[in-house]
Amino acid sequence: MDDYGSGGKKGFHDFGINGKVITPPDGASVEEQDRFLERVLMESPDSLIIAPIYTDYISSALEDFVEQDIPVILLDTDVAWEDKTSYVGTDNVKLGRRAGALLSSQLQPGNEVAILGVNTKNPVSSNRIKGAKISLQSVGIEIVAEGIDVSSDPLQVKEDLKTILDEHPNLKGIIATNDELALTVFHTIEELGYKMPVIGADGSNEMIKLIEEGKLPGTVAQNSYDMGYLSVEAAMKVLNGENISRNIDSGIDIIIKENAEQRFKFQERVQR
């Protein structure tokens, strides 16, 4: 079970809610997302909490819930949709700023860095890049490759990085907009014979182990477990007639060597 689901289940228990966690298959298409929501709607839930897969299409699929007076709470990924009850998740500009500050702590003013993403037009990635730029520029770090879209394919990442390093041989650090990409970048620069700090985001277990081993300086992490828990708490309040904020910030953690073991044990426990 993912951290959202674990946090949600704890919320169901603590708040006495008869709820269930449903996970669509990996790689679900837009059509499968719509069919999934149609099946959920047929069950006439009192409230819906959803982590959208395809944000460009999600609002129209959720209008049927609103028409039946079912409050909809968005989890993790926000959508510019006026009928949502609330968004529970990360302030990604703030997360980017924390990532930029973490990388800056490893460097000196004037050092050159790159900011990479798989889909930099996605609002999550673009806001993380925006935040990282604010922190890096405020301390005189030079961003020589900004918002570069790279492939999620490790072989292509290697080629993309070779190009960046050829163009910027004095590169001293890299920020990736998520941990999956950061891990690929880290292993690739190792293969290429370079050594530099790589900062990711999300707090994956593999990333945490590398931090614990001293191979990476740190990462910035969303609190997915808290997202799940807070979304259930928000749903309970709405159903009780209480007003809630349109944006509920689930917070950000900085994971470094000193707290990596503690974080890893927590994630192993809640992911069972």
Side-chain angles (χ1 to χ4, degrees):
M1 182 187 301
D2 62 27
D3 291 357
Y4 304 134
S6 298
K9 282 202 165 185
K10 184 67 165 61
F12 294 151
H13 176 269
D14 287 359
F15 301 119
I17 291 176
N18 179 21
K20 62 181 177 180
V21 176
I22 308 171
T23 306
D26 288 339
S29 65
V30 173
E31 292 75 18
E32 286 170 324
Q33 176 180 256
D34 287 348
R35 289 196 295 271
F36 170 79
L37 287 169
E38 286 171 6
R39 290 194 297 271
V40 172
L41 183 62
M42 289 176 65
E43 297 182 23
S44 299
D46 294 313
S47 179
L48 174 69
I49 300 167
I50 180 169
I53 303 172
Y54 297 97
T55 57
D56 290 343
Y57 305 93
I58 194 70
S59 56
S60 59
L62 295 175
E63 289 296 343
D64 291 337
F65 287 84
V66 175
E67 288 174 7
Q68 295 189 28
D69 295 321
I70 299 170
V72 177
I73 294 171
L74 302 178
L75 177 67
D76 187 26
T77 303
D78 200 3
V79 177
W81 176 50
E82 63 180 19
D83 291 327
K84 67 189 173 191
T85 301
S86 182
Y87 160 66
V88 180
T90 304
D91 180 334
N92 281 295
V93 173
K94 187 187 295 183
L95 184 144
R97 291 185 71 156
R98 296 280 177 86
L102 187 56
L103 182 60
S104 298
S105 70
Q106 307 293 311
L107 304 176
Q108 300 294 325
N111 284 167
E112 298 181 355
V113 302
I115 306 174
L116 310 179
V118 173
N119 180 7
T120 58
K121 291 183 175 61
N122 177 284
V124 171
S125 291
S126 63
N127 281 330
R128 290 178 178 182
I129 292 167
K130 179 181 178 181
K133 285 174 59 182
I134 292 169
S135 288
L136 293 166
Q137 291 172 342
S138 70
V139 293
I141 303 293
E142 187 176 353
I143 304 165
V144 295
E146 169 197 323
I148 304 297
D149 268 314
V150 297
S151 168
S152 57
D153 173 36
L155 292 176
Q156 187 58 49
V157 169
K158 188 172 184 177
E159 294 305 312
D160 292 338
L161 278 177
K162 279 182 179 178
T163 300
I164 291 169
L165 289 164
D166 284 344
E167 293 175 356
H168 307 286
N170 294 320
L171 199 71
K172 300 296 184 185
I174 296 174
I175 288 179
T177 55
N178 62 58
D179 273 353
E180 184 179 358
L181 177 57
L183 288 164
T184 303
V185 168
F186 169 73
H187 293 305
T188 300
I189 61 173
E190 265 200 332
E191 286 179 31
L192 295 173
Y194 290 86
K195 187 173 182 180
M196 68 182 72
V198 178
I199 304 298
D202 295 337
S204 70
N205 287 350
E206 188 180 350
M207 195 77 168
I208 293 171
K209 291 303 289 182
L210 288 170
I211 294 165
E212 191 177 354
E213 293 165 6
K215 295 179 179 178
L216 286 173
T219 191
V220 288
Q222 300 186 105
N223 292 312
S224 299
Y225 180 89
D226 290 351
M227 281 185 208
Y229 190 91
L230 290 170
S231 65
V232 172
E233 181 181 34
M236 177 202 67
K237 289 180 177 179
V238 170
L239 295 174
N240 287 339
E242 298 179 45
N243 292 323
I244 63 170
S245 172
R246 286 270 288 179
N247 288 281
I248 299 173
D249 189 348
S250 54
I252 300 160
D253 284 343
I254 306 296
I255 303 172
I256 54 177
K257 188 175 176 63
E258 287 72 16
N259 65 359
E261 181 181 4
Q262 179 184 8
R263 178 73 180 216
F264 185 80
K265 286 179 178 178
F266 169 77
Q267 292 191 172
E268 274 202 321
R269 186 172 71 252
V270 303
Q271 288 167 0
R272 287 173 185 163

